[in-house]
Amino acid sequence: MSALEEQIVAVEDEIRNTAYNKATQLHIGRLKAKLAVLRLERETRAKGKGGGVGYSIRKSGNATVGLVGYPSVGKSTLLNRLTEADSETGSYDFTTVSIIPGMLRWGGASIQILDMPGLVPGASRGKGRGREVLSVVRSTDLVLFLVDPEHPNIRALTAELEGAGVRINQRPPRIVIQRSDRGGLTVSSTVRLTQLAGGGAAQIAREFGFHNGSIVFREDASADQLIDVLAGNRVYILALFAVNKAELIDSKAQKELGAMMLPFEPIFISARTGAGLDTLVDRIGTSLKFIRIYVKPPGRPPDREEPVILRTGDSVAALLRRLPGDLNRSFKAAQIWGKSARFPGQTVGRDHTLSDEDIVTVLVARGGARAG
Ligand SMILES: Nc1nc2c(ncn2[C@@H]2O[C@H](COP(=O)(O)OP(=O)(O)OP(=O)(O)O)[C@@H](O)[C@H]2O)c(=O)[nH]1
Ligand SMILES: [Mg+2]
């Protein structure tokens, strides 16, 4: 074990062995910060060494879903069921050794599903091809965790994602940090801080070598949340949970399993028989929060046949990327009819956030108005 790895293990042990209470709160916060800094250092070193060749996958479709689970839980069987893909399946572990994409249609949207090699505990430290798999996971929009009734321990898997900087079903903390060269550190908040009171925030910041600048809290954040913002390389991804091979257990066993997996609420499926797959696909589709945008060429009716599919929160800029031509350069303004418009035909810029079923006309600079 390297000196760095020994330090990491020592801090992990200390955190585990310290009971969390008011008196130890700040101390634990500092230890967690120390751990995060050491892990960042480990990442940097692994990258420097080249650390194994990453998978290159071409993202396509309106959103990307990653299938994550231990070996042999049925990820490839599920991909083959849901899409036209033909991913090798087998009754032995690590059948899948690369990333296999498939495409699922849902409403008007196309959803790319990525089958991946099985993950094992220790993946985030580089076990198996864990690091490479996790780097693909970081680029997805939704993770579908798959377990089988024999190995329902989902927490060991979510911990691996945590270790790789993936935050599931959380939104980014409402903490704004600004670094400067001098002047010391100011900490302010718009709400009362209960978890980081008494200088806790400044102590954590110092562990990151952050001595000058400001931290503004817009929520009563935890030490973990502040550390995430300071570390800066976190991704926030949706997650769904499913128990595959559910046909092998009766409904009483399903209930017990569901209770055991709380707070995660798994969907029970069988990639073999097809049971539960309609529900699963609907849950995937609705979780991704697609919106339909109808493009309207000036002076003509909107194209209601083929809406452009975007995601909730997307702005006009995202629409421009999806239309043919270099609209990003020639864009002048957009006109909006629909829920996001304050009045019909409102003129907006590229930062305007669109709503489902908005009608949009894109106005370009040279050569008058047009829509895509
Ligand atoms: N009974 C049952 N068996 C299943 C089901 N889905 C998959 N299997 C079986 O489980 C075994 C593993 O399936 P795979 O799809 O290869 O599993 P995987 O998760 O892709 O495995 P790795 O690629 O090794 O990580 C195969 O023998 C499948 O036939 C299911 O719903 N029910
Ligand atoms: Mg597989």
Side-chain angles (χ1 to χ4, degrees):
M1 215 189 281
S2 70
L4 177 63
E5 204 59 51
E6 274 167 22
Q7 271 179 292
I8 290 177
V9 172
V11 181
E12 281 171 346
D13 284 347
E14 193 177 347
I15 293 174
R16 216 182 350 259
N17 296 328
T18 311
Y20 185 91
N21 57 47
K22 269 265 166 290
T24 60
Q25 202 178 38
L26 290 186
H27 180 58
I28 291 177
R30 248 181 59 205
L31 288 174
K32 283 177 166 174
K34 209 171 247 163
L35 182 60
V37 170
L38 291 170
R39 282 177 174 164
L40 282 175
E41 174 61 24
R42 179 170 64 191
E43 280 311 302
T44 316
R45 288 190 194 178
K47 278 208 192 90
K49 272 190 288 187
V53 186
Y55 295 110
S56 78
I57 49 131
R58 208 170 64 85
K59 290 232 269 178
S60 69
N62 302 115
T64 300
V65 174
L67 299 181
V68 171
Y70 298 115
S72 296
V73 295
K75 300 179 294 295
S76 302
T77 309
L78 179 64
L79 177 83
N80 294 344
R81 261 278 181 175
L82 295 180
T83 73
E84 76 302 335
D86 184 15
S87 183
E88 193 183 332
T89 63
S91 54
Y92 49 92
D93 287 359
F94 299 110
T95 307
T96 308
V97 292
S98 60
I99 308 276
I100 313 288
M103 198 63 86
L104 169 72
R105 305 286 308 178
W106 187 79
S110 39
I111 303 171
Q112 184 182 45
I113 314 261
L114 299 180
D115 180 22
M116 308 198 207
L119 272 192
V120 289
S124 59
R125 282 180 274 118
K127 210 153 173 211
R129 292 197 66 183
R131 216 189 287 280
E132 290 87 345
V133 173
L134 287 165
S135 96
V136 175
V137 169
R138 283 176 61 96
S139 73
T140 62
D141 300 296
L142 185 151
V143 176
L144 175 60
F145 285 96
L146 216 57
V147 295
D148 72 24
E150 297 278 310
H151 309 95
N153 183 7
I154 196 79
R155 230 155 249 118
L157 275 184
T158 55
E160 292 303 326
L161 268 70
E162 283 276 315
V166 177
R167 299 292 172 264
I168 55 170
N169 295 339
Q170 291 179 29
R171 46 162 188 68
R174 290 156 66 190
I175 305 169
V176 182
I177 58 173
Q178 218 148 20
R179 291 173 195 271
S180 58
D181 294 337
R182 55 178 174 278
L185 184 66
T186 60
V187 177
S188 60
S189 59
T190 57
V191 293
R192 204 170 77 85
L193 298 181
T194 61
Q195 307 170 79
L196 286 168
Q203 281 182 15
I204 287 173
R206 268 197 289 279
E207 292 292 336
F208 280 84
F210 181 23
H211 300 286
N212 296 294
S214 66
I215 307 177
V216 181
F217 288 90
R218 298 186 194 286
E219 71 175 305
D220 182 16
S222 64
D224 292 319
Q225 287 177 302
L226 175 59
I227 289 166
D228 281 347
V229 173
L230 287 164
N233 63 345
R234 310 304 195 221
V235 291
Y236 296 82
I237 302 179
L238 295 166
L240 289 175
F241 299 84
V243 176
N244 190 35
K245 309 189 188 184
E247 91 281 3
L248 297 178
I249 55 172
D250 61 18
S251 63
K252 183 165 165 277
Q254 287 190 11
K255 236 183 222 137
E256 283 168 10
L257 205 59
M260 221 184 80
M261 286 173 69
L262 283 173
F264 309 120
E265 291 177 29
I267 307 161
F268 289 86
I269 63 168
S270 170
R272 179 166 286 176
T273 69
L277 296 190
D278 288 345
T279 309
L280 175 68
V281 167
D282 273 337
R283 284 281 295 280
I284 292 173
T286 48
S287 301
L288 288 168
K289 296 202 167 78
F290 294 114
I291 58 174
R292 295 154 292 179
I293 304 300
Y294 305 115
V295 173
K296 175 182 147 39
R300 284 199 277 145
D303 180 359
R304 289 187 187 273
E305 294 300 310
E306 277 188 62
V308 176
I309 306 289
L310 299 176
R311 308 266 311 277
T312 294
D314 278 345
S315 58
V316 170
L319 175 67
L320 297 181
R321 281 195 292 275
R322 296 284 303 285
L323 296 174
D326 191 5
L327 287 177
N328 205 30
R329 279 250 307 278
S330 52
F331 176 82
K332 212 175 74 189
Q335 258 186 306
I336 315 274
W337 293 261
K339 270 174 277 175
S340 83
R342 266 188 289 127
F343 52 87
Q346 184 192 354
T347 301
V348 301
R350 66 181 81 216
D351 291 337
H352 177 83
T353 304
L354 296 165
S355 297
D356 190 28
E357 300 211 77
D358 274 354
I359 295 170
V360 180
T361 294
V362 177
L363 305 169
V364 300
R366 255 173 313 107
R370 59 169 272 213

